[in-house]
Amino acid sequence: AQSVTQLGSHVSVSEGALVLLRCNYSSSVPPYLFWYVQYPNQGLQLLLKYTSAATLVKGINGFEAEFKKSETSFHLTKPSAHMSDAAEYFCAVSGAYGQNFVFGPGTRLSVLP
Amino acid sequence: NAGVTQTPKFQVLKTGQSMTLQCAQDMNHEYMSWYRQDPGMGLRLIHYSVGAGITDQGEVPNGYNVSRSTTEDFPLRLLSAAPSQTSVYFCASRGSGVVNEQFFGPGTRLTVL
């Protein structure tokens, strides 16, 4: 079985500051990990995915995430927050063929001017 | 490609009414899913399908029915709406093979009075 926890339901950062959104997973099979972003009143859009090819994954809009097996983590970072980054972010885990695709509860990111 | 489309965008029902949420995708994806999104709970899987004619239950299937007569369409039926089914519903699809991310529709916001 797989599960995802996201520490902090709401994170606030100042514009230009580092963004760090935390994701920890539990998986009985080699995990495949995803970060999705949801802007207000929209569907989910893929930011990046970990497919075991490289532990540091670069995504869209300047985001990246690092897979750390020893810590069972896949934290999302961005060096400098922009106002347009304000959204809800979901971490998700699945097996290699998409079985048991499970989402975390989400973290709402606010960016302060 | 239109991707994943959902209709309607908004719907208000009275308790006991039935309705069908429509979902269609034009990417020839085998896998399709329905999720509901509630505050603080992330996305929870209602039903999913691995191909035309094949459906299965997810985490929260009670009160919902699905069918998959074509690759493109995956409607979700509420048999007798209840206030607990007030939520935002998302349809998603993905291709077969290893580590294919899910593509999401824009969502249907349903209120049951």
Side-chain angles (χ1 to χ4, degrees), chain A residues 32 34 36 38 41-46 49-51 88 90 95-99 101 103-106, chain B residues 31 35 37 40-45 88 90 94 96-107 109:
Chain A
Y32 291 81
F34 306 81
Y36 282 84
Q38 184 181 31
N41 300 313
Q42 294 187 26
L44 278 72
Q45 177 185 358
L46 182 72
K49 63 181 180 182
Y50 166 73
T51 63
E88 188 145 20
F90 292 94
Y97 291 88
Q99 67 272 31
F101 204 105
F103 285 90
Chain B
Y31 296 86
Y35 292 87
Q37 181 179 27
M41 303 188 73
L43 282 85
R44 292 182 292 169
L45 182 64
V88 182
F90 289 100
R94 67 175 180 85
S96 60
V98 178
V99 202
N100 279 306
E101 67 268 25
Q102 297 201 67
F103 294 83
F104 285 83
R109 186 174 296 273

Side-chain angles (χ1 to χ4, degrees), chain A residues 15 37 39-40 61 63 78 81-87 89 109 111:
Chain A
E15 191 173 20
V37 61
Y39 298 104
N61 301 337
F63 284 93
K78 182 174 181 178
H82 192 273
M83 298 295 289
S84 61
D85 294 327
Y89 293 80
L109 176 66
V111 182

